[in-house]
């Protein structure tokens, strides 16, 4: 089967783009994408600040594989499969912690945090052909990081991470350069499962079209508090194909942002402090780049399943497929290290994060309801196709869908050929890079 010809309609001449709904319902498709996409792409595992000290570790599941993301006693970042090399039992059974030794609860085989097998109880029972070095912990073929974000790749022949990220690094830099001394993941995370195909969450995470309807309550809340004054913001900016399946939707910030964009519900006493953030950004990065950081928001996809939302706050979203009709979402708040715990700046950021994207916020519950409703609707026999044609032949607009089409073009191309679709630089109007109107 050719996914490109049978499951995707990409008619650029007539401005029609449709995706067959079986891509969101078929267990066979789910198995294909695990082998052809997740086994070969760089996949996010964690941020360096989560394992700040030697011996720190966190548990993760990436592409169905249990992993330990850690910093060894010498300070090196490592990733191991979370399975004992003896009989396969889960080795690390805590979500996070600090240790020099991992001991399997089954037969007490013990490993140091460089992966070396240290102890095999009853070692005298093994023959001379048994070598401890053969049982050291193992990990994914490739591990690499960019700006503190660490990724794994299960394909030894995969391109280097920086080459894979390509043009997406510009947008990652816009996020990470907001900090004076680097970013950190704030303690705690949101973890929840959703009864829908994982690709619907990818779409939703960078879709501006649903905001005025699904998030109308939040928009009204901002307006009622005297905010959202830049009414043209929702019509300024748009999506961009960044190559290798990566995409971004960038627009003027219409709503509250704790980074140099004051809103009345932050309080009058916060205004001078927020304006000082902008002054500092201008001093460090110049007027144009600073105002782009502070005055625009961006929803960035790192293909296939990492979303960096720099909107109400900075959020890392990792989408883990579980089945054709279920996925798990993990979300973390990212903040500059200088915003220390208890500070007014960090409190504003976390309040903004929770108000919009928190488990009881204005956005996340409604988004989950929308996606699960779509999955329920897919049980109907007709229509067979979902439409993603908006903006194929018009001037760029944040409510258009080129960023979603970018994902789907890469997705079916990877399923068919193992290679990414060619980057769209024509026939679809790209967003302006800096949006000079940002202020």
């Amino acid at each position: 089967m050719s996914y490109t010809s049978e499951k995707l309609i990409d008619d650029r001449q007539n401005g029609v783009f449709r995706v067959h709904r079986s891509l969101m319902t078929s267990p066979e498709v789910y198995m294909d994408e695990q082998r052809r996409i997740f086994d070969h792409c760089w996949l996010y595992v964690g941020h360096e600040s989560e394992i700040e000290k030697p011996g720190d570790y966190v548990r993760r599941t990436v592409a169905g594989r249990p992993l330990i993301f850690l910093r060894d006693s010498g300070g090196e970042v490592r990733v191991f499969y979370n399975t004992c090399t003896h009989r396969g039992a889960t080795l690390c059974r805590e979500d996070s912690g600090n240790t020099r030794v991992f001991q399997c609860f089954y037969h007490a085989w013990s490993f140091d945090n460089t992966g070396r097998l240290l102890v095999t109880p009853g070692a005298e029972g093994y023959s001379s052909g048994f070598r401890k070095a053969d049982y050291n912990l193992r990990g994914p073929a490739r591990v690499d990081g960019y700006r503190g974000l660490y990724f794994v790749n299960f394909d030894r022949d995969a391109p280097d991470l920086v080459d894979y990220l390509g043009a997406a690094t510009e947008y990652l830099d816009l996020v990470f350069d907001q900090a004076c001394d680097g970013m950190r993941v704030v303690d705690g995370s949101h973890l929840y499962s959703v009864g829908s195909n994982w690709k619907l969450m990818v779409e939703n995470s960078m879709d501006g079209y649903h905001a005025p309807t699904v998030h109308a309550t939040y928009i009204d809340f901002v307006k009622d508090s005297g905010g959202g004054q830049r009414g043209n913001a929702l019509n300024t900016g748009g999506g961009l194909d960044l190559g290798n399946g990566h995409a971004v939707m960038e627009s003027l910030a219409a709503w509250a942002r704790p980074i140099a964009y004051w809103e009345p519900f932050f309080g009058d006493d916060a205004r001078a402090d927020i304006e000082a953030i902008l002054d500092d950004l201008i001093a460090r990065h110049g007027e144009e780049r600073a105002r782009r950081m502070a005055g625009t928001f961006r929803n960035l996809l790192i293909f296939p399943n990492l979303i960096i939302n720099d909107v109400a706050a900075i959020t890392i979203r990792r989408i883990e497929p579980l089945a054709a009709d279920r996925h798990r979402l993990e979300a973390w708040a990212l903040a500059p290290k200088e915003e220390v715990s208890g500070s007014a700046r960090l409190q504003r950021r976390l309040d903004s994060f929770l108000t919009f994207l928190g488990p009881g916020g204005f956005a996340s519950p409604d988004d989950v309801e929308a996606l699960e409703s779509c999955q329920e609707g897919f049980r109907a026999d007709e229509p067979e196709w979902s439409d993603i044609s908006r903006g194929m032949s018009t001037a760029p607009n944040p409510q258009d869908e080129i960023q979603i089409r970018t994902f789907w073009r890469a997705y079916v191309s990877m399923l068919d050929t193992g290679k990414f679709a060619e980057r769209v630089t024509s026939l679809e109007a790209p967003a302006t890079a800096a949006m000079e109107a940002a202020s």
Side-chain angles (χ1 to χ4, degrees):
M1 178 182 68
S2 168
Y3 284 96
T4 302
S5 63
E6 297 182 28
K7 303 296 183 183
L8 185 73
I9 297 172
D10 188 2
D11 183 353
R12 301 184 198 181
Q13 182 175 354
N14 294 303
V16 176
F17 192 100
R18 295 173 184 161
V19 173
H20 200 271
R21 292 179 178 178
S22 64
L23 295 179
M24 274 79 76
T25 62
S26 166
E28 291 77 19
V29 170
Y30 173 78
M31 294 303 296
D32 277 351
E33 64 193 22
Q34 296 305 301
R35 293 191 303 269
R36 301 179 189 180
I37 294 177
F38 285 86
D39 283 359
H40 300 284
C41 289
W42 285 95
L43 306 173
Y44 178 71
V45 65
H47 188 264
E48 64 181 4
S49 63
E50 298 178 87
I51 50 170
E52 188 174 14
K53 300 186 295 296
D56 283 353
Y57 67 86
V58 295
R59 292 199 306 173
R60 293 279 142 83
T61 300
V62 175
R65 284 98 156 168
L67 301 177
I68 311 172
F69 174 51
L70 63 88
R71 190 178 298 275
D72 69 23
S73 294
E76 183 177 345
V77 173
R78 297 178 181 266
V79 180
F80 295 121
Y81 291 115
N82 190 9
T83 177
C84 182
T85 53
H86 179 217
R87 297 286 183 84
T90 299
L91 180 62
C92 177
R93 296 164 64 83
E94 300 291 333
D95 288 336
S96 62
N98 183 284
T99 188
R100 299 181 66 178
V101 175
F102 294 98
Q103 184 181 79
C104 180
F105 84 106
Y106 195 6
H107 296 95
W109 279 33
S110 300
F111 306 81
D112 69 17
N113 56 24
T114 69
R116 184 167 57 100
L117 176 61
L118 297 176
V119 178
T120 53
E124 65 278 2
Y126 292 98
S127 68
S128 59
F130 178 87
R131 299 188 308 164
K132 281 187 176 181
D134 293 337
Y135 296 89
N136 291 340
L137 296 181
R138 297 173 186 131
R142 306 282 298 279
V143 178
D144 203 354
Y146 182 80
R147 301 301 300 262
L149 300 169
Y150 273 84
F151 298 77
V152 298
N153 199 309
F154 303 105
D155 181 357
R156 193 169 300 280
D157 297 322
D160 290 343
L161 175 62
V162 70
D163 294 330
Y164 179 82
L165 293 174
T169 58
E170 173 188 349
Y171 293 88
L172 290 172
D173 292 345
L174 282 172
V175 171
F176 284 87
D177 285 346
Q178 293 172 26
C180 295
D181 189 32
M183 289 283 188
R184 68 181 178 95
V185 167
V186 181
D187 290 343
S189 65
H190 295 162
L191 173 63
Y192 53 94
S193 62
V194 183
S196 83
N197 188 271
W198 67 277
K199 298 182 288 294
L200 294 181
M201 183 60 79
V202 172
E203 289 185 354
N204 173 269
S205 297
M206 52 178 178
D207 172 36
Y209 193 24
H210 77 283
T213 49
V214 176
H215 303 316
T217 304
Y218 179 74
I219 295 172
D220 289 343
F221 160 71
V222 172
K223 289 180 178 178
D224 290 345
S225 66
Q229 299 299 319
R230 296 204 284 183
N232 67 330
L234 292 178
N235 297 312
T236 306
L240 194 63
D241 180 346
L242 301 177
N244 292 348
H246 315 316
V248 68
M249 192 270 281
E250 187 176 21
S251 175
L252 286 180
W255 308 320
R257 299 189 73 224
I259 164 132
Y261 184 24
W262 179 83
E263 289 279 12
F265 58 72
F266 284 143
D268 290 335
D269 57 344
R271 188 162 195 162
D273 187 39
I274 291 175
E275 290 174 350
I277 298 174
L278 178 58
D279 291 341
D280 176 69
L281 289 174
I282 292 172
R284 289 192 289 120
H285 300 293
E287 184 89 17
E288 181 179 347
R289 192 160 192 266
R291 291 193 179 278
R292 185 180 178 195
M293 287 178 179
T296 67
F297 72 82
R298 55 206 59 85
N299 291 4
L300 173 67
L301 164 69
I302 303 299
F303 187 89
N305 65 333
L306 174 65
I307 300 288
I308 307 292
N309 283 331
D310 187 4
V311 188
I314 305 174
T315 310
I316 300 173
R317 292 185 140 192
R318 193 176 70 85
I319 304 164
E320 177 75 11
L322 300 176
D325 60 356
R326 180 160 293 275
H327 69 272
R328 180 173 60 241
L329 190 143
E330 291 178 275
W332 301 267
L334 197 68
K337 289 181 180 179
E338 59 265 25
E339 294 183 6
V340 297
S341 297
S343 68
R345 288 186 179 183
L346 182 61
Q347 189 60 49
R348 280 197 303 271
R349 184 179 296 276
L350 295 182
D351 285 349
S352 188
F353 171 61
L354 291 170
T355 299
F356 190 58
L357 291 170
F362 283 100
S364 293
D366 289 342
D367 284 337
V368 169
E369 172 64 20
L371 302 192
E372 292 184 341
S373 177
C374 289
Q375 198 71 36
E376 176 71 17
F378 293 159
R379 296 169 63 182
D381 291 333
E382 294 184 0
E384 297 181 60
W385 300 84
S386 291
D387 185 87
I388 312 175
S389 300
R390 187 174 174 86
M392 285 191 78
S393 56
T394 61
N397 185 294
Q399 295 186 31
D400 292 342
E401 297 165 335
I402 182 174
Q403 64 276 12
I404 302 174
R405 292 189 289 275
T406 295
F407 167 79
W408 279 110
R409 287 170 179 142
Y411 173 87
V412 297
S413 183
M414 284 291 289
L415 288 182
D416 275 346
T417 69
K419 299 179 181 179
F420 288 111
E422 185 176 348
R423 182 177 177 183
V424 173
T425 56
S426 61
L427 299 180
E428 294 221 19
T432 55
M435 282 171 286
E436 293 81 1
S439 60

